Amino acid sequence: MIKIIKNFIKRILNELFKKRGHIKLGIYGPPNSGKTTLANRICKDWLGEEMGAVSKVPHETREVQVKEKVTIKYKNKELSFKLIDTPGITTKIDYEDFLKYKISEKKAKERAKEATRGVIEAIKWLEDMDCVIVVLDATENPYSQVNITIIGNLAARKIPVLIVANKIDLKKAKIKKVEAAFPQYDVVGISAEYGNNIEEFYESLYRLVK
Amino acid sequence: MLTLQFIPYDEIEDLNSDQRIRKLLRMVKDEKIVLMQGRLKPEEETSLIETTMGGINKMFKGIEMCTIYPEEKGIEILSKLRKGMAQFLVGHREGITIIGPANIIKEIRRDPNKIQLLTTIPSPRKSRSAKTKKNVKKAKKRRR
């Protein structure tokens, strides 16, 4: 009962702040799908600075990163939001996987520990989001349980979702497969790294947040 | 040896979310692949991930999980309402959930119509009884 009342008050407060332009836009997805690369692309395009470090080693982002105010301009209209980049959500973390990237055992263990905390933190932030961009690697199978769990959770909380099929610059990328996996959502294929199709992304983002 | 443990929905029906998650994780940590009738609620799935992350250590690397349930595409509104009402009354009985330890299930490949579990044979873990037998032998030797 207390939880229901708490959620009700939270929803009212969220609605109030949303109307004043304090929209919280979260970036979620599995590890190494390009969440921080996309966050950097948005920040570079509209703020002229990057948001966080990226690397080929999974779980590079192990803490939630926040940019308090990002304003984008689309067709003479302005859109402001708080951008929240989250660590990749996964169901397993093995420090030995990091050793392949020539990381010392001590650092790999540390990274694994921080990554587990990062996943917990990312999940905790879920309920605070107003809108979410789910970034999926278009070269990977979209039918993974992590993707289904994230999107199912957002749907249960009635949080608007935009699915980004990232890495379309790669030959193996299959946007159609992502679209087929989540037919009820707006899917936009981009390359966050090279900026391919980024205009369409901003258009979809505007539709999501407005 | 690979153990598959079936859990009918009746077995978890009366448990709260915390108890369900603890029960499932206990079995998975015991190196069993759990086949559960029905599915967890979306918030229970994220809680399961959270609890799993909190429990990762040298021995436990996490879980692999997969849920299959009938697609709702093309279902009429009336049927959807009926289904929603049934779920409210008897829980999420439809479908099946597979959860296993990540050290045994390397990957679950899932396409809409099939599921493949890529497994590795776990290294034999010394059971409590085996350890006790060893201790008894050691004690006998010492006595001699």
Side-chain angles (χ1 to χ4, degrees):
Chain A
M1 191 66 187
I2 294 165
K3 207 176 174 185
I4 295 168
I5 296 167
K6 223 169 119 184
N7 284 342
F8 180 69
I9 295 167
K10 208 173 197 176
R11 194 157 283 181
I12 290 172
L13 288 174
N14 280 349
E15 281 298 314
L16 276 173
F17 282 114
K18 198 173 170 179
K19 276 175 190 157
R20 288 178 193 165
H22 293 272
I23 294 161
K24 282 178 230 142
L25 175 68
I27 302 182
Y28 277 82
N32 252 19
S33 59
K35 296 175 293 302
T36 306
T37 310
L38 178 61
N40 282 345
R41 168 68 54 187
I42 299 169
C43 290
K44 257 196 281 177
D45 285 352
W46 304 101
L47 300 175
E49 59 184 27
E50 291 201 338
M51 192 163 180
V54 291
S55 99
K56 281 186 178 171
V57 189
H59 298 286
E60 182 64 28
T61 308
R62 298 185 292 283
E63 276 178 8
V64 170
Q65 300 183 78
V66 182
K67 261 293 177 239
E68 279 304 325
K69 195 179 176 188
V70 180
T71 305
I72 67 169
K73 283 172 188 157
Y74 171 77
K75 288 183 182 171
N76 298 326
K77 283 175 189 171
E78 272 193 6
L79 182 69
S80 290
F81 49 83
K82 184 175 180 174
L83 186 64
I84 300 139
D85 180 28
T86 64
I89 295 182
T90 182
T91 55
K92 57 179 180 184
I93 293 171
D94 186 353
Y95 80 90
E96 284 175 12
D97 291 339
F98 302 134
L99 299 176
K100 290 176 221 157
Y101 298 91
K102 290 174 184 168
I103 291 177
S104 70
E105 196 174 316
K106 194 184 165 196
K107 280 193 175 165
K109 280 182 181 169
E110 215 171 279
R111 193 182 185 93
K113 214 174 197 177
E114 288 169 3
T116 56
R117 277 189 229 122
V119 176
I120 296 170
E121 202 191 353
I123 292 172
K124 288 217 158 62
W125 271 77
L126 256 178
E127 59 186 276
D128 288 328
M129 300 296 169
D130 296 314
C131 305
V132 167
I133 302 169
V134 176
V135 183
L136 305 181
D137 184 339
T139 67
E140 298 281 336
N141 184 3
Y143 294 98
S144 83
Q145 189 60 37
V146 164
N147 297 348
I148 291 163
T149 299
I150 298 171
I151 293 167
N153 234 275
L154 293 165
R157 291 169 203 264
K158 295 191 170 69
I159 297 171
V161 173
L162 169 66
I163 298 177
V164 165
N166 192 23
K167 307 188 186 181
I168 58 161
D169 54 296
L170 300 174
K171 271 186 184 172
K172 272 170 71 187
K174 285 176 187 154
I175 307 173
K176 291 266 178 245
K177 207 169 178 188
V178 180
E179 285 171 342
F182 305 104
Q184 58 276 57
Y185 293 94
D186 195 6
V187 177
V188 57
I190 64 160
S191 164
E193 192 176 358
Y194 300 107
N196 303 6
N197 212 24
I198 209 75
E199 281 303 313
E200 199 189 318
F201 163 72
Y202 285 128
E203 208 177 311
S204 305
L205 183 61
Y206 189 82
R207 278 203 301 272
L208 176 82
V209 178
K210 78 172 180 185
Chain B
M1 189 177 64
L2 210 62
T3 312
L4 298 177
Q5 173 98 34
F6 178 67
I7 305 181
Y9 194 80
D10 295 341
E11 220 174 281
I12 58 156
E13 195 178 9
D14 297 329
L15 302 179
N16 65 32
S17 297
D18 261 8
Q19 290 167 328
R20 280 182 193 185
I21 288 161
R22 258 185 274 136
K23 185 182 176 89
L24 292 170
L25 272 181
R26 210 181 307 129
M27 287 180 189
V28 171
K29 282 183 178 177
D30 220 10
E31 298 196 332
K32 287 174 186 163
I33 296 174
V34 177
L35 300 175
M36 189 187 88
Q37 180 194 1
R39 59 186 169 125
L40 296 170
K41 293 177 198 153
E43 58 270 26
E44 285 174 342
E45 281 184 12
T46 40
S47 289
L48 176 66
I49 297 177
E50 267 188 279
T51 316
T52 301
M53 286 297 120
I56 283 181
N57 55 34
K58 248 185 185 177
M59 298 296 290
F60 180 60
K61 312 283 182 196
I63 59 169
E64 271 294 353
M65 154 168 100
C66 182
T67 306
I68 326 153
Y69 49 90
E71 281 200 54
E72 289 186 359
K73 259 193 275 174
I75 297 179
E76 286 172 27
I77 296 172
L78 199 67
S79 306
K80 267 190 188 176
L81 275 173
R82 230 179 282 146
K83 207 174 160 188
M85 186 63 89
Q87 266 181 9
F88 178 74
L89 293 171
V90 294
H92 294 73
R93 280 171 188 267
E94 276 195 335
I96 192 160
T97 303
I98 303 168
I99 308 169
N103 62 322
I104 295 176
I105 304 179
K106 281 282 153 205
E107 196 186 339
I108 298 181
R109 280 191 199 153
R110 167 189 172 149
D111 272 307
N113 303 320
K114 68 174 177 191
I115 284 178
Q116 290 174 311
L117 300 187
L118 306 182
T119 58
T120 51
I121 301 157
S123 54
R125 218 170 54 168
K126 280 167 194 165
S127 65
R128 272 180 209 161
S129 55
K131 277 181 193 169
T132 323
K133 276 177 197 168
K134 214 174 177 186
N135 287 342
V136 172
K137 270 185 187 174
K138 270 185 188 173
K140 273 183 185 173
K141 264 187 187 177
R142 260 183 248 137
R143 261 180 247 149
R144 275 176 212 157

